[in-house]
């Protein structure tokens, strides 16, 4: 599934009266913006170039050309400057019990703090050293700033005061993944939108993981569009999207977790073209100059899996998949451009390769024409300003270089001991800012009169809407909603939906006189808007008795359609209960549908008693059928699966690994495979779990297993299984409801299996804390930030538990009246026994998370985890 499923385009011109003109309510006219501001981490042109003059050619942390420095602002992030203020994302109170993340605003000229906004880091494995991986983005039109934190907390702040305007917990709401690597993307502001991306595993049609982009209304935080790249990417990445104008069509260009480079319309999420570069995710931020895109990577190449790394140039005016077309202008393999954005200056392309060299490349051919070895490693992207290149080597050496033909002259070299350089230098108002892990340095020539900058190159105009007033795309907004029904004393919520229309180039068209038809699928009602001037809108009202339901509102104008998704979830005043008797993971759960399956536990135990491999085959094939259906659409029922090594996902290899046959005992022929697997397949066929199966070989001799689903549903006790069949995602979390919930209790029955003497870990989530039964250590633990158990907050006690035994876990959060601390209480006991009167474990966090969605945790890397009888209720 590539592209935005909400933008189904099948226009028939006879259906429309042509009433199109620029919609001033959508696109903003440029405001008076300071040309010396640096509102994006790569500058106002998003290319790492400053037009300023009079910048220093040397500096010292002891005083030479040092205007100010701040140890508090030490970071791995890149700051921005806007309206006389510098903004930065960095660690808050490092190495203390109150450690977190914060956005800091200081006077750009003096470094004096104006405000800071701190927030907790929660429910992530990422270590503290990776705080500040992302960068703040500024909006010159409103003065607001946007930041995505390490745990995927996305916030819009008033740039003057630091007041929170709106926020989203992208993990709990959209299933954005925060991993140990900490790779976190940067926001991008365009028109009335702020766009953020990451690998997400959400709900419904978005349950299968993909690198997804979500565009929010920058003023109110409502989701406007969602767009997906290829499913099941290999990596999370931090390639930052940059704006481009390809022959008058606006685009954002980025490297994705699936190893491809994409161009996408920023107003609609429509994918314009794809270039397949790598087998792994791309972290390099592309450089766009005119219609040319320069990018690279440091992983295996698509064209030859044995060759690592490449740089390449693309013609950005293409459409579709441009991988094997003349839109690839050149490609130079073995160049390891895995992190830094390229830099183009005076017809020379500068590549800061991962090994600490600065390469000089002919931008027309890709040929290397110069090279300067400067260190061992680089994360930072170089800055060009005042005829100089500011380059930061990762281990702590700062260079100021002067391009000289194909050579690079070192003007200045400075070593900072015990300071890592992972952020990038920036320039604004006669000052250069150099971020390190130890401090932020502001350098410049003191008391120098302002030096007029060089003019910026003219910005190419966007093709006006009037060149093509034909509607080609329809957008219903908000595209994603979470509502509460009116139940008992609950007030309930309603949601207003409006439409936007665009031409093929993604330009806004007027919709004032357009009368869309709206259709509803799922519980609830639609009511026409009665507000003057909003007659072409509709209002969705959840069903009064709705309980954890999904609804879909589709707008239609002619042959154009667009669909919005709604999760309706009641308040916890009315207790939630889940027993999985429907045979499905609840559709409205975030992050659960792809990584969990629902099984007949009685059938599983029966098969296990007959042949343990048959029980594992039941789990594997149920997973295969479930996720094939999810890939086809949340309501699909795929009757056949084929297990083979085809494409990036080596399903047959994974299948053999799951059954411990990847090495010794690996079947080499169909007869070998039949001996290994036909007996257990026959057991499943006897129970009507499957209907039939077929063995075959591909052209290369690879074995393939095709299995047809049987008629048997769940006849015994239904349970949810956290699977180990998908290597990526065996350690994960899932969430059930709004992030605003607090002071509640979650309870679930849990069971861990055993494999090769190893046990899983499992637990429940409450207010962004996890109560976990740890398998390997035989402990019970309350935690929030996994990698900061000793310093930030955790409580751990010994707790012996047995595999293949059901336990009931109960976890309560109790906020203090002033919300300055939270008391967390957990208890665990064998299911079926009387609940103990005393809590098994208690802890108090004085830097509290005071709200958060209920959820489940499982680490099934070593063995499967099972859940049953999940309950959530207010205290």
């Amino acid at each position: 599934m590539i592209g935005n499923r909400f933008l189904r385009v099948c226009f028939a011109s006879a259906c429309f009266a042509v009433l199109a003109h620029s919609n001033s309510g959508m696109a903003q006219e440029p405001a008076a913006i300071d040309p010396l501001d640096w509102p994006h981490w790569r500058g106002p042109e998003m290319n790492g170039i400053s037009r300023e003059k009079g910048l220093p050619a040397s500096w010292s942390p002891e005083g030479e050309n040092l205007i100010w420095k701040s140890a508090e602002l030490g970071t791995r992030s890149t700051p921005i400057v806007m309206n006389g203020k510098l903004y930065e994302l960095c660690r808050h109170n490092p190495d203390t019990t109150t450690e977190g993340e914060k956005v800091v605003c200081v006077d750009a000229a003096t470094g004096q703090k104006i405000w800071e906004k701190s927030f907790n880091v929660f429910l992530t494995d990422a270590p503290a050293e990776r705080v500040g991986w992302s960068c703040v983005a500024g909006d010159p039109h409103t003065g607001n700033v946007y930041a995505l934190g390490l745990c995927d907390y996305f916030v819009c702040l008033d740039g003057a005061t630091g007041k929170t305007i709106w926020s989203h917990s992208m993990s709990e709401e959209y299933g954005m993944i925060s991993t140990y690597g900490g790779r976190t993307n940067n926001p991008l502001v365009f028109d009335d939108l702020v766009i953020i991306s990451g690998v997400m595993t959400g709900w419904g049609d978005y349950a299968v993981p993909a690198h997804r982009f979500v565009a929010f209304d920058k003023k109110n935080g409502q989701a406007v569009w969602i767009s997906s790249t290829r499913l099941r990417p290999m990596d999370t990445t931090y390639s930052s999207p940059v704006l481009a104008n390809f022959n008058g069509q606006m685009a954002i260009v980025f490297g994705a977790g699936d190893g491809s480079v994409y161009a996408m319309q920023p107003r609609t999420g429509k994918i314009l073209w794809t270039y397949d570069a790598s087998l792994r995710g791309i972290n390099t931020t592309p450089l766009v100059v005119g219609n040319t895109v320069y990018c690279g990577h440091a992983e295996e190449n698509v064209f030859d899996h044995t060759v690592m790394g490449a740089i390449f140039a693309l013609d950005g005016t293409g459409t579709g998949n441009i991988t094997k077309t003349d839109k690839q202008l050149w490609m130079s393999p073995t160049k390891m451009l895995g992190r830094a954005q390229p830099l183009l200056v005076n017809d020379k392309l500068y590549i800061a390769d991962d090994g600490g060299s600065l390469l000089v490349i002919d931008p027309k051919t890709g040929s290397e024409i110069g090279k300067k070895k400067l260190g061992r490693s680089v994360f930072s992207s170089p800055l060009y300003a005042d005829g100089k290149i500011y380059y930061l080597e990762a281990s702590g050496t700062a260079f100021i270089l002067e391009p000289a033909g194909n050579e690079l002259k070192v003007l200045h070299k400075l070593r900072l001991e015990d300071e890592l350089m992972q952020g990038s230098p920036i320039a604004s108002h006669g000052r250069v800012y150099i971020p390190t892990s130890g401090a932020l340095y502001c350098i410049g020539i003191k008391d120098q009169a302002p030096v007029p900058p060089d003019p910026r190159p003219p910005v190419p105009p966007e093709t006006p809407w009037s060149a093509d007033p034909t509607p080609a795309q329809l957008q219903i907004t908000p595209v994603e909603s979470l509502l509460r029904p009116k139940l008992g004393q609950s007030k309930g919520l309603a949601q207003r939906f409006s439409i936007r229309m665009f031409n093929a180039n993604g330009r806004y068209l007027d919709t004032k006189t357009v009368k869309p038809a709206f259709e509803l699928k799922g519980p609830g009602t639609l009511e026409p808007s009665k507000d003057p001037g909003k007659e072409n809108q509709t209002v969705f009202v959840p069903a009064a008795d709705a309980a954890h339901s999904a609804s879909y509102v589709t707008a239609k104008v002619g042959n154009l359609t667009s669909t919005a998704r709604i999760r309706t979830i009641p308040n916890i005043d009315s207790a939630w209960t889940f027993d999985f008797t429907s045979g499905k993971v609840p559709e409205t759960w975030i992050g659960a549908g792809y990584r969990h399956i629902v099984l007949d536990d009685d059938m599983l135990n029966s098969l296990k008693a007959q042949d343990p491999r048959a029980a594992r085959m039941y789990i594997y094939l149920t997973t295969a059928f479930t996720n094939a259906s999810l890939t086809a659409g949340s309501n699909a029922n795929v009757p056949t699966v084929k297990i083979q090594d085809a494409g990036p996902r080596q399903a047959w290899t994974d299948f053999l690994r799951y059954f411990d046959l990847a090495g010794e005992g690996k079947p080499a022929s169909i007869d070998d495979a039949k001996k290994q697997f036909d007996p257990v397949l026959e057991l499943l066929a006897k129970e009507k779990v499957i209907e039939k199966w077929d063995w075959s070989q591909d052209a290369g001799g690879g074995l393939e297993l095709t299995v047809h689903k049987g008629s048997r549903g769940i006849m015994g006790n239904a349970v949810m299984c956290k699977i180990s069949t998908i290597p990526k995602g065996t350690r994960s979390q899932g969430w059930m409801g709004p992030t605003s919930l607090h002071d509640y209790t979650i309870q679930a029955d849990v069971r861990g299996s055993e494999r090769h003497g190893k046990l899983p870990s499992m637990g429940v989530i409450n207010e962004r804390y996890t109560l976990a039964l740890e398998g390997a250590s035989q402990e019970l633990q309350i935690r929030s930030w996994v990698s900061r158990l000793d310093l930030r907050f955790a409580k751990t006690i010994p707790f012996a538990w047995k595999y293949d035994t059901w336990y009931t876990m109960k976890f309560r959060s109790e906020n203090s009246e002033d919300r300055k601390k939270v008391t967390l209480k957990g208890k665990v006991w064998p299911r079926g026994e009387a609940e103990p009167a005393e809590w098994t474990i208690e802890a108090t966090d004085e830097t509290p998370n005071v709200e958060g969605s209920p959820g489940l945790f499982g680490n099934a890397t070593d063995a499967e985890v099972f859940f049953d009888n999940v309950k959530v209720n207010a205290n």
Side-chain angles (χ1 to χ4, degrees):
M1 179 176 64
I2 297 178
N4 187 343
R5 77 173 190 86
F6 300 116
L7 300 176
R8 301 187 182 98
V9 179
C10 45
F11 171 70
S13 59
C15 297
F16 295 89
V18 179
L19 298 168
H21 60 76
S22 176
N23 189 331
S24 61
M26 306 298 180
Q28 298 175 338
E29 293 299 319
I33 297 172
D34 191 327
L36 301 186
D37 275 357
W38 195 271
H40 180 272
W41 77 280
R42 290 305 282 157
E45 300 171 44
M46 300 189 186
N47 60 3
I49 293 177
S50 168
R51 306 296 170 179
E52 295 199 40
K53 298 289 189 180
L55 299 176
S58 62
W59 67 285
S60 165
E62 283 74 42
E64 180 194 2
N65 289 327
L66 180 68
I67 297 175
W68 59 263
K69 79 172 184 178
S70 170
E72 183 183 356
L73 298 180
T75 185
R76 67 177 299 134
S77 183
T78 300
I80 65 167
V81 174
M82 186 174 68
N83 300 328
K85 302 177 181 66
L86 179 143
Y87 302 92
E88 184 190 270
L89 195 61
C90 61
R91 293 171 70 177
H92 176 64
N93 296 341
D95 301 325
T96 70
T97 58
T98 60
E99 179 165 7
E101 193 164 13
K102 65 183 175 184
V103 177
V104 184
C105 171
V106 302
D107 186 299
T110 67
Q112 183 176 355
K113 187 189 295 184
I114 298 172
W115 56 259
E116 68 175 35
K117 185 71 173 184
S118 63
F119 41 89
N120 282 351
V121 178
F122 54 86
L123 300 181
T124 177
D125 297 345
E129 293 76 18
R130 287 167 171 78
V131 166
W133 195 297
S134 180
C135 305
V136 176
D139 177 20
H141 294 283
T142 63
N144 295 337
V145 295
Y146 303 86
L148 179 67
L150 185 67
C151 63
D152 302 325
Y153 177 71
F154 187 37
V155 62
C156 169
L157 302 172
D158 184 305
T161 66
K163 179 183 177 182
T164 299
I165 297 174
W166 54 261
S167 67
H168 287 285
S169 176
M170 295 298 294
S171 57
E172 296 169 282
E173 297 177 52
Y174 291 86
M176 185 179 285
I177 296 171
S178 176
T179 65
Y180 181 83
R183 292 182 291 268
T184 313
N185 221 298
N186 299 319
L188 177 69
V189 179
F190 177 77
D191 278 2
D192 60 338
L193 304 174
V194 58
I195 303 167
I196 196 64
S197 80
V199 175
M200 306 180 199
T201 172
W203 68 277
D205 286 351
Y206 291 154
V208 181
H211 187 160
R212 295 191 168 95
F213 280 69
V214 183
F216 294 99
D217 185 306
K218 69 182 183 182
K219 293 184 178 180
N220 62 28
Q222 286 192 333
V224 175
W225 57 256
I226 302 175
S227 187
S228 297
T229 61
R230 195 161 45 241
L231 297 179
R232 302 182 187 90
M234 288 296 293
D235 295 296
T236 56
T237 59
Y238 55 93
S239 172
S240 179
V242 295
L243 283 170
N245 184 323
F246 297 130
N247 286 349
Q249 180 173 205
M250 294 304 297
I252 57 175
V253 183
F254 57 90
D258 60 15
S260 299
V261 178
Y262 289 81
M264 177 186 289
Q265 287 184 349
R267 298 186 185 97
T268 68
K270 173 187 173 182
I271 291 177
L272 301 174
W273 54 256
T274 307
Y275 175 78
D276 301 329
S278 170
L279 298 183
R280 303 296 301 266
I282 293 180
N283 292 311
T284 308
T285 295
L287 171 69
V288 181
V289 181
N291 286 331
T292 304
V293 177
Y294 301 97
C295 196
H297 65 85
E299 302 291 348
E300 298 96 330
N301 282 283
V302 166
F303 74 90
D304 186 342
H305 301 180
T306 66
V307 177
M308 297 286 289
I311 57 175
F312 45 85
L314 310 173
D315 180 345
T317 63
T319 58
N321 193 309
I322 64 172
T323 307
K324 297 180 180 179
T325 71
D326 59 2
K327 297 303 180 181
Q328 177 185 289
L329 303 178
W330 55 258
M331 192 269 291
S332 179
T334 72
K335 302 291 192 300
M336 305 296 281
L337 180 63
R339 301 171 186 137
Q341 185 191 39
L343 183 69
L344 184 68
V345 176
N346 297 330
D347 206 31
K348 300 287 191 300
L349 185 68
Y350 294 93
I351 300 295
D353 78 3
D354 291 5
S357 293
L358 193 56
L359 310 181
V360 187
I361 305 294
D362 183 333
K364 296 182 179 63
T365 66
S367 299
E368 182 180 316
I369 55 178
K371 180 177 181 179
K372 187 77 170 180
K373 181 67 173 176
L374 297 170
R376 294 174 297 176
S377 179
V378 68
F379 282 84
S380 169
S381 294
L383 164 71
Y384 179 78
D386 192 20
K388 299 179 280 289
I389 294 176
Y390 295 82
Y391 173 99
L392 305 181
E393 194 266 341
S395 66
T397 304
F399 292 86
I400 302 178
L401 308 166
E402 182 180 65
N406 297 341
E407 305 296 325
L408 288 160
K409 179 182 177 182
V410 177
L411 300 179
H412 181 68
K413 177 180 177 181
L414 175 68
R415 173 72 179 173
L416 297 176
E417 296 295 335
D418 301 321
E419 294 189 38
L420 300 177
M421 295 180 171
Q422 295 160 321
S424 301
I426 70 169
S428 178
H429 293 271
R431 297 178 288 270
V432 175
Y433 300 89
I434 297 175
T436 78
S437 61
L440 178 66
Y441 297 88
C442 172
I443 64 174
I445 301 174
K446 298 177 182 177
D447 303 321
Q448 174 181 258
V451 180
D454 286 339
R456 278 194 210 163
V459 177
E462 188 176 2
T463 302
W465 66 267
S466 55
D468 179 14
T470 305
Q473 302 180 71
L474 178 65
Q475 190 178 82
I476 184 172
T477 62
V479 73
E480 195 88 357
S481 301
L482 174 59
L483 304 178
R484 182 180 65 245
K486 185 177 182 180
L487 185 64
Q489 301 300 313
S490 173
K491 182 180 180 182
L493 298 171
Q495 179 63 62
R496 179 185 299 275
F497 290 95
S498 59
I499 63 164
R500 296 174 170 184
M501 295 179 69
F502 307 86
N503 65 12
N505 255 23
R507 290 303 304 262
Y508 292 113
L509 304 176
D510 187 23
T511 59
K512 292 186 178 68
T513 60
V514 175
K515 303 297 183 184
F518 293 100
E519 294 182 358
L520 173 64
K521 178 184 176 182
T525 58
L526 288 180
E527 300 175 358
S529 173
K530 300 177 182 178
D531 295 342
K534 298 180 179 179
E535 290 83 2
N536 63 350
Q537 299 180 2
T538 191
V539 177
F540 171 82
V541 180
D545 58 351
H548 295 271
S549 57
S551 301
Y552 303 85
V553 177
T554 298
K556 294 185 176 181
V557 179
N559 288 333
L560 300 179
T561 67
S562 179
T563 299
R565 313 190 318 162
I566 306 159
R567 289 189 298 149
T568 299
I569 297 178
N571 205 338
I572 54 175
D573 293 338
S574 177
W576 304 349
T577 59
F578 305 94
D579 59 11
F580 312 110
T581 54
S582 67
K584 296 181 179 180
V585 176
E587 185 180 10
T588 57
W589 285 13
I590 298 293
Y594 178 71
R595 295 160 169 164
H596 300 78
I597 56 174
V598 175
L599 296 169
D600 185 327
D601 199 36
D602 296 334
M603 167 63 66
L604 181 68
N605 291 327
S606 173
L607 290 171
K608 188 175 181 180
Q610 297 176 70
D611 185 338
R613 182 176 283 186
R616 291 186 63 76
M617 184 67 79
Y618 176 42
I619 292 173
Y620 190 95
L621 291 179
T622 302
T623 301
F625 285 120
T626 299
N627 286 336
S629 298
L630 281 173
T631 302
S634 59
N635 295 313
N637 182 18
V638 176
T640 305
V641 293
K642 192 170 189 177
I643 302 167
Q644 60 181 339
D645 282 347
R649 184 162 183 255
Q650 302 289 289
W652 176 252
T653 299
D654 287 344
F655 176 79
L656 294 179
R657 186 180 298 115
Y658 182 70
F659 287 100
D660 299 325
L661 292 172
E664 184 178 351
K666 178 180 178 179
S669 66
I670 290 178
D671 286 341
D672 290 345
K674 287 182 176 180
K675 290 177 183 177
Q676 292 280 7
F677 296 111
D678 274 9
V680 298
L681 292 169
E682 288 171 0
L683 275 176
L684 295 182
K686 179 181 177 182
E687 297 290 350
K688 298 184 179 180
V689 173
I690 64 174
E691 180 184 352
K692 60 181 180 178
W693 68 97
D694 303 292
W695 293 100
S696 59
Q697 287 182 286
D698 61 23
L703 294 176
E704 302 172 335
L705 172 62
T706 302
V707 184
H708 302 263
K709 191 176 182 179
S711 60
R712 181 175 180 136
I714 292 178
M715 302 170 64
N717 181 42
V719 299
M720 188 176 75
C721 173
K722 168 69 175 152
I723 52 180
S724 60
T725 54
I726 301 174
K728 288 183 178 294
T730 53
R731 178 186 174 95
S732 67
Q733 301 161 119
W735 293 274
M736 305 172 189
T739 61
S740 59
L741 299 179
H742 59 88
D743 294 282
Y744 59 86
T745 301
I746 179 170
Q747 179 175 311
D749 294 339
V750 301
R751 185 183 75 201
S753 53
E754 178 270 344
R755 185 166 171 79
H756 304 313
K758 296 181 179 180
L759 303 182
S761 298
M762 53 202 176
V764 291
I765 298 170
N766 186 324
E767 266 190 31
R768 298 169 179 166
Y769 297 91
T770 302
L771 174 67
L773 278 171
E774 295 295 325
S777 60
Q778 289 288 283
E779 293 174 332
L780 182 64
Q781 184 176 86
I782 295 175
R783 61 175 184 251
S784 183
W785 188 357
V786 178
S787 65
R788 303 301 276 176
L789 300 179
D790 295 333
L791 277 173
R792 169 59 188 91
F793 167 79
K795 177 74 175 289
T796 307
I797 64 171
F799 192 92
W801 59 274
K802 301 175 181 178
Y803 64 86
D804 290 345
T805 300
W806 283 104
Y807 294 88
T808 299
M809 302 185 73
K810 191 171 187 177
F811 191 26
R812 174 172 293 179
S813 60
E814 297 176 352
N815 293 333
S816 63
E817 189 172 343
D818 58 7
R819 294 168 70 90
K820 290 185 178 181
K821 63 181 180 179
V822 59
T823 299
L824 302 153
K825 302 176 180 180
K827 62 174 70 172
V828 184
W829 68 96
R831 186 172 75 173
E833 295 184 6
E835 178 181 342
E838 302 298 322
W839 294 97
T840 312
I841 185 171
E842 296 188 45
T844 298
D845 187 3
E846 296 187 356
T847 308
N849 306 313
V850 295
E851 60 185 16
S853 169
L856 301 173
F857 161 77
N859 183 356
T861 303
D862 296 319
E864 282 84 10
V865 173
F866 299 88
F867 297 94
D868 198 5
N869 300 318
V870 179
K871 302 175 184 178
V872 181
N873 59 270
N875 292 343

